[in-house]
Amino acid sequence: MHPMVKPALRRAWRSLRCVQFGITPAHAVVVSPVDPGTGELLALLDGTRGTELLRAEARARGLPDGHLEALLGRLAAAGLLADASNGRPGKPGSGAGSGAAAGAAAGAGAGATVRDPLRADLASLSVVHSEPDRAVRTLAARRALRVQVRGAGRVGAMVAALLSAAGVGTVEVLDSGRVEPWETAPGGLPAEAVGERRATAARRVVRRWARGGTRAGPTGGATGQGDGRGSPGLSLVVVTPRDGLGAYVPDPVPAGPWITTGTPHLYAGVLEATGTVGPLVLPGGTACACCLQEELTDREPVRPRLLAQWRSGAPHPLPACDLALATAVAGLATAHALAFLDGDLPASTGARWEVSLPLLEWRAERLRPHPDCPCGAARGGEGERASAAGSAQDTMAG
């Protein structure tokens, strides 16, 4: 083992015997008391030394036998310890030696020369997860996942690109028609894709941002059709319709097969300068599209008549989808998707987050399972089933 204090957390001494790791309240940890010898030993926990060498360093400073182990135990319990010998699975030459080198470079700060595009993602995961090797295992687990993005407009194309860039193994994009000029965006479909088939253009974007270890789909890259041949089951469906109505008021009909098969799905989109992220639906555990429609009908009996008119005919020819708002929605939706794929239950689980121009104040609405909905979430107990689903995802990610 080559122990190191997680380099992503900045270190500052609050006093001569009290050190703080991290700045933000969500992840900062204070360690106290710290005597001078232990403080010197802390400075050596940069991943370049194995435990035997660290024991010798501790003895040279007059620290008693077992002091190093006690310090490492304290740091591990506080979620501050990482093992540089793990490296990142899937990288060429990864192993104990290369992992130690990567850890040493990570602790070297600005002078580090490791050229790993997922290095910052790994650092973020190390902050989020307390276990020393959880970040490495989580990033490796993403390679085995298969996510389907349904819709390749401004929001959907960016979500697909971000998921691919974050290390998700297989990202499929389903859509029809051809790219319109107003659907292009930085980070999404490029300007040169105008007139091209949306699925083809989106597949190229996904392939461009794919990281090492990405699984090739049936077409030799991230797939555009999602026929599932030779690929694992869907881990998640992200519904990002170009006409944001399908995300703002989800249609229960397309969601029927996902409810039947127990496939988790997340809605995200922009409608009339209003962005939405959620709900993340855990079939049988949280409110689904049908639950939401039933609830809206209870509040406003005329709602079915309105929905029938809004959903009928051709999609709206020119959605009001602001570029910056679409980017914000795509980023938040991807972050929620990754949190779920990594084994957590994000705030969109059974809830919807909404933001509107020009004030851009995010609002959250909790969605309850409807007793008349055939999905069964209301009868099964939302909290219990959601927790069980979270545990299942944690097992998968681990």
Side-chain angles (χ1 to χ4, degrees), residues 67-381:
H67 189 86
L68 172 66
E69 289 73 14
L71 175 61
L72 295 179
R74 290 175 64 190
L75 295 175
L80 296 172
L81 195 65
D83 183 2
S85 63
N86 282 329
R88 179 162 81 82
K91 294 292 291 179
S94 65
S98 63
T113 58
V114 176
R115 299 185 180 277
D116 183 354
L118 286 172
R119 186 170 172 232
D121 302 79
L122 183 62
S124 177
L125 288 169
S126 76
V127 172
V128 172
H129 300 296
S130 60
E131 301 94 326
D133 62 344
R134 175 68 183 274
V136 173
R137 290 190 292 111
T138 297
L139 200 58
R142 288 182 183 178
R143 299 203 313 270
L145 303 179
R146 175 179 165 226
V147 177
Q148 190 176 91
V149 179
R150 301 183 70 91
R154 278 185 164 177
V155 174
M158 270 190 269
V159 167
L162 290 169
L163 288 171
S164 181
V168 174
T170 303
V171 180
E172 304 172 355
V173 186
L174 305 186
D175 207 340
S176 59
R178 297 183 180 274
V179 178
E180 300 289 353
W182 52 84
E183 294 171 347
T184 63
L189 298 175
E192 56 268 25
V194 172
E196 190 177 3
R197 292 187 180 277
R198 289 191 182 93
T200 302
R203 182 166 62 246
R204 184 180 301 110
V205 171
V206 168
R207 193 162 50 236
R208 175 186 177 186
W209 286 104
R211 303 308 192 187
T214 297
R215 184 190 312 277
T219 59
T223 69
Q225 297 301 320
D227 56 10
R229 292 174 295 178
S231 57
L234 282 172
S235 306
L236 178 68
V237 174
V238 186
V239 187
T240 54
R242 283 176 283 114
D243 183 351
L245 178 66
Y248 190 78
V249 188
D251 188 348
V253 175
W258 307 326
I259 298 296
T260 301
T261 59
T263 304
H265 45 288
L266 170 69
Y267 294 93
V270 175
L271 175 68
E272 299 174 357
T274 293
T276 57
V277 175
L280 169 61
V281 179
L282 306 180
T286 63
C288 67
C290 184
C291 291
L292 176 58
Q293 185 166 291
E294 292 288 344
E295 176 64 24
L296 292 175
T297 301
D298 290 345
R299 298 181 193 173
E300 192 177 14
V302 74
R303 178 66 63 161
R305 181 184 304 170
L306 298 175
L307 288 174
Q309 296 175 69
W310 291 334
R311 290 171 178 163
S312 64
H316 197 282
L318 187 59
C321 184
D322 177 85
L323 177 59
L325 179 60
T327 304
V329 169
L332 185 63
T334 305
H336 281 236
L338 289 172
F340 173 73
L341 293 170
D342 291 344
D344 294 304
L345 291 177
S348 59
T349 308
R352 181 170 65 182
W353 289 81
E354 182 176 319
V355 63
S356 300
L357 294 174
L359 299 182
L360 295 170
E361 296 177 341
W362 284 98
R363 306 172 297 275
E365 178 187 9
R366 191 72 187 168
L367 307 176
R368 300 296 179 184
H370 196 277
D372 295 334
C373 181
C375 75
R379 296 187 297 275

